[in-house]
Amino acid sequence: MLCPVCKSASKVVDSRTARGGRAIRRRRECLDCAGRFTTYERVEERPLQVVKQDGSAEDFRRDKLEASVAVACAKRPVSPGDIEALVDRIEDGLSGSARKEVTSARIGEEVMEGLKPLDRVAYVRYASVYRNFQRIDEFQEVVDELIVRERREGRRRLQGELPLPAGGSRSGDG
C-alpha cells in the first residue's frame, strides 16, 4: 500500500478485525516519511444499485452516505464513531437483503430513523434536505412530531420508576 502523503511503500504495524468481523483494519507506517495511516480490507460484494427518484440507477457508495450523515451532524455532539456505526448498520441492512436494487427513498428513511435517537437536530437537518422542505410549517410538523415522541418516552420512563404502594400489594389484589 502506498503512503497517501509521499506515495512511498508502507508496512503494516497493527491488524485487527473491524465492522463486526466483516473487515480487517490495518494500521500502516510509511517507510520513507514515517507517516501513519489506516486502511480497511473487506470482501468485495456484488454492487448494490441505488434507484433514484428520477428512475436512474447508480452504484451504492458508502462514502456518499457517510458524507451526507456527517453534514447533518456537523457541529453537533455526534462522534465520527457514531456516524460510522450508523452507516455500518444501514449498509449491513441494505447488503443483507437479497435484492440487488434499493431505492434512495429507503436509504433516506433509514438514515432518518437512525438519526432520530442519535441527535434530533441532525435528524431535522437531514429531513429538511431529504424531504425538500419548502415551507416553515413542514419544519414545524417534524419538530412537533419529535416533541410528542420525546414526551411519550419521558412518560414511559417515569411510569417504569413508580414505587409500589405501601405493604407491597397491588391495587385490585384484595
Side-chain angles (χ1 to χ4, degrees):
M1 179 71 58
L2 298 180
C3 172
V5 177
C6 71
K7 309 297 184 232
S8 297
S10 65
K11 67 178 180 178
V12 175
V13 178
D14 178 48
S15 291
R16 61 182 69 171
T17 60
R19 297 186 179 142
R22 295 178 318 281
I24 297 175
R25 177 186 180 272
R26 300 198 191 279
R27 196 69 184 130
R28 298 178 176 270
E29 184 176 311
C30 178
L31 297 173
D32 285 344
C33 72
R36 289 187 169 219
F37 59 100
T38 302
T39 60
Y40 289 91
E41 177 183 321
R42 56 192 157 101
V43 174
E44 189 172 3
E45 299 173 1
R46 62 178 167 75
L48 184 66
Q49 293 287 302
V50 178
V51 180
K52 302 178 127 203
Q53 289 180 348
D54 66 2
S56 66
E58 65 180 42
D59 286 345
F60 172 80
R61 289 188 27 222
R62 177 192 169 85
D63 61 320
K64 189 173 177 181
L65 175 60
E66 197 164 3
S68 69
V69 173
V71 167
C73 295
K75 298 184 181 182
R76 298 296 306 152
V78 179
S79 73
D82 290 338
I83 293 170
E84 187 171 334
L86 172 59
V87 173
D88 282 348
R89 284 193 308 274
I90 293 169
E91 185 177 26
D92 288 348
L94 297 175
S95 61
S97 73
R99 305 175 104 183
K100 292 183 181 181
E101 294 183 339
V102 64
T103 63
S104 59
R106 177 176 171 202
I107 295 171
E109 292 298 327
E110 289 196 27
V111 170
M112 289 192 306
E113 283 306 306
L115 284 174
K116 204 180 280 187
L118 192 61
D119 186 273
R120 296 198 171 156
V121 172
Y123 166 78
V124 172
R125 285 179 180 169
Y126 190 89
S128 70
V129 173
Y130 170 69
R131 292 186 178 158
N132 193 22
F133 292 161
Q134 299 295 314
R135 299 179 326 272
I136 194 73
D137 61 319
E138 292 172 304
F139 273 105
Q140 191 62 50
E141 287 172 18
V142 171
V143 171
D144 290 345
E145 173 190 317
L146 287 173
I147 290 169
V148 167
R149 181 179 174 181
E150 190 172 272
R151 286 181 182 152
R152 192 176 320 128
E153 289 171 0
R155 281 194 299 269
R156 202 173 302 131
R157 273 193 303 269
L158 287 174
Q159 287 175 347
E161 298 173 4
L162 291 175
L164 288 174
S169 67
R170 296 183 192 155
S171 61
D173 285 348

